[in-house]
Amino acid sequence: MIFYFTGTGNSFAAAHTMAEITHDELVDIGESYRMGRFGFRVEQGETLGFVFPVYDRAVPRIVSAFIDWLAFITPNGNPFVPGYCFCAITCGESVGTAAKAFAKELKAALNIRLDASYSIEDVDNCIIKHSPGSPEERRMRNHAAHRQARAVAFSVNAKRMGSMEKKGAWSAAVGALSALGSHAIDIEPFTVDRSVCVGCGTCARLCPTHTVTIENGAPRWDGDQCTLCLACLQRCPVFAIDYGTRTHDRDRYVNPVFKRTPTRLTALAASVDMTVPDPDDVVRQGEYEEPDVDEPSAAALSPYAAPDAGATPDDRACAHENGAAETDRPAR
Ligand SMILES: Cc1cc2nc3c(=O)[nH]c(=O)nc-3n(C[C@H](O)[C@H](O)[C@H](O)COP(=O)(O)O)c2cc1C
Ligand code: SF4
Ligand code: SF4
């Protein structure tokens, strides 16, 4: 079973490409979270995967919250032990220590050990910070991402072990400083141009956290659950939404996969048993054991963090370029 979270489609495209090769079921974290669905039937020994974007070199807060609530229902009633567990993190550039942090969260919430971590570089959708690039650049990046997702899927089928993600420069330094992974997100900068908005409700329907509602024919942002996936902003059909002042003149970005597969519901409905589990069947996994994870020590590099003179050359090394260390398969 592969769980994915997506705002603009890159992670869905990656998960979809992978599932075609691995023949795993796909589950949309955004839609499940929206619907309050956290219990899933699994077979002992099946592969468990998580595909999601990196936000400020951290795990999206909605993914962390979902993991906290997630529960597995197994045929024998015992805690779920996957045969192989991986995460594939999509990014514009690199993922820093996000995979390490995710491994820790997974262990804490479900007592499941992450066997492998990968990254997939695609278009950087963070248009509140930078442009998504020219249409030709985006096309090339989408194409390269598709090839990377296929390569990851073959590694998953081979049950390859280790951390193979591109951590990027200053990677050891960033986790502690990542604001978006854990803290409330500022929704104040969201604005709508009422003269452009057609009141279609797409932004509210796509919001996985119920932050957007339609009031008097236009969106309103409320609450402290926003995960800054930018789905509302990027996927408004008439570009009526902005965040601060910088997005107004920037292109919007949506992965072409959504042109082929229009809504997240399509994928979900096609792949998942939607029956509501009996709470008595839901198995909570074992107790949390503190994993052996190094804490990052210093600050990090822009555009997602500030540089730090204390980082070592190793910190600056790119895991992919250096042939990221693979580990032996750990004992459970
Ligand atoms: C708020 C925010 C923060 C981001 N931070 C990073 C980052 O730290 N490093 C990076 O390489 N890409 C970053 N990105 C880019 C996304 O991770 C990347 O475009 C991802 O593939 C988007 O996935 P999606 O289309 O499934 O939503 C960020 C995007 C957003 C919206
Ligand atoms: S998606 Fe755009 S047009 Fe539709 S309601 Fe939201 S802001 Fe208005
Ligand atoms: S308000 Fe917009 S950016 Fe925030 S979670 Fe909802 S769709 Fe994503």
Side-chain angles (χ1 to χ4, degrees):
M1 185 171 280
I2 297 177
F3 293 89
Y4 69 91
F5 176 69
T6 195
T8 58
N10 291 350
S11 308
F12 173 54
H16 193 265
T17 299
M18 293 170 67
E20 277 178 347
I21 293 168
T22 63
H23 304 294
D24 284 305
E25 280 185 323
L26 283 178
V27 179
D28 183 339
I29 291 177
E31 192 59 26
S32 302
Y33 191 89
R34 220 178 119 80
M35 294 166 64
R37 176 173 302 283
F38 300 105
F40 295 88
R41 295 179 198 284
V42 287
E43 295 295 328
Q44 291 291 8
E46 75 172 76
T47 292
L48 175 64
F50 296 89
V51 183
F52 54 84
V54 66
Y55 291 162
D56 274 333
R57 299 195 173 192
V59 180
R61 62 203 302 255
I62 189 172
V63 173
S64 303
F66 182 78
I67 296 292
D68 257 357
W69 283 93
L70 183 57
F72 294 112
I73 303 151
T74 56
N76 60 7
N78 290 334
F80 175 42
V81 182
Y84 178 73
C85 179
F86 72 94
C87 73
I89 306 180
T90 71
C91 62
E93 177 192 300
S94 57
V95 305
T97 52
K100 218 175 193 182
F102 181 71
K104 196 171 177 178
E105 290 174 16
L106 197 65
K107 183 78 178 159
L110 293 158
N111 197 25
I112 288 175
R113 180 164 185 149
L114 195 70
D115 294 317
S117 47
Y118 305 90
S119 58
I120 295 166
E121 289 160 70
D122 206 322
V123 173
D124 190 327
N125 71 346
C126 192
I127 65 164
I128 62 179
K129 286 183 180 158
H130 14 241
S131 148
S134 69
E136 180 57 16
E137 282 164 351
R138 282 179 253 164
R139 199 188 61 75
M140 286 169 64
R141 288 187 75 90
N142 288 155
H143 189 66
H146 179 70
R147 276 190 277 118
Q148 281 185 39
R150 283 178 61 83
V152 170
F154 289 121
S155 284
V156 166
N157 272 349
K159 295 190 168 38
R160 214 173 150 200
M161 310 292 292
S163 68
M164 290 158 272
E165 73 277 15
K166 181 179 175 185
K167 299 182 184 75
W170 311 86
S171 64
V174 202
L177 296 176
S178 294
L180 295 177
S182 51
H183 301 130
I185 279 154
D186 187 9
I187 55 171
E188 288 299 314
F190 277 115
T191 55
V192 60
D193 184 343
R194 284 177 162 266
S195 67
V196 177
C197 171
V198 292
C200 66
T202 301
C203 49
R205 272 199 305 279
L206 290 174
C207 179
T209 59
H210 300 283
T211 303
V212 187
T213 50
I214 302 296
E215 268 186 27
N216 301 322
R220 178 168 179 268
W221 288 262
D222 201 11
D224 58 4
Q225 294 297 305
C226 175
T227 193
L228 212 52
C229 65
L230 300 186
C232 54
L233 186 158
Q234 301 266 28
R235 296 168 68 184
C236 166
V238 293
F239 314 118
I241 299 176
D242 277 301
Y243 188 89
T245 52
R246 291 199 200 161
T247 54
H248 191 66
D249 296 327
R250 285 189 180 141
D251 271 359
R252 299 317 192 230
Y253 169 71
V254 179
N255 189 295
V257 74
F258 281 141
K259 291 172 191 144
R260 299 195 294 273
T261 317
T263 68
R264 49 169 41 128
L265 274 174
T266 314
L268 187 73
S271 61
V272 171
D273 174 6
M274 296 296 282
T275 51
V276 179
D278 182 331
D280 290 342
D281 289 343
V282 174
V283 177
R284 289 304 303 178
Q285 305 283 315
E287 292 300 316
Y288 169 48
E289 289 164 40
E290 185 68 43
D292 185 18
V293 177
D294 298 334
E295 290 300 331
S297 57
L301 189 68
S302 67
Y304 295 111
D308 169 34
T312 67
D314 281 347
D315 294 333
R316 293 179 202 115
C318 154
H320 273 331
E321 285 159 13
N322 291 351
E326 284 193 58
T327 59
D328 291 328
R329 188 182 178 87
R332 287 181 190 287

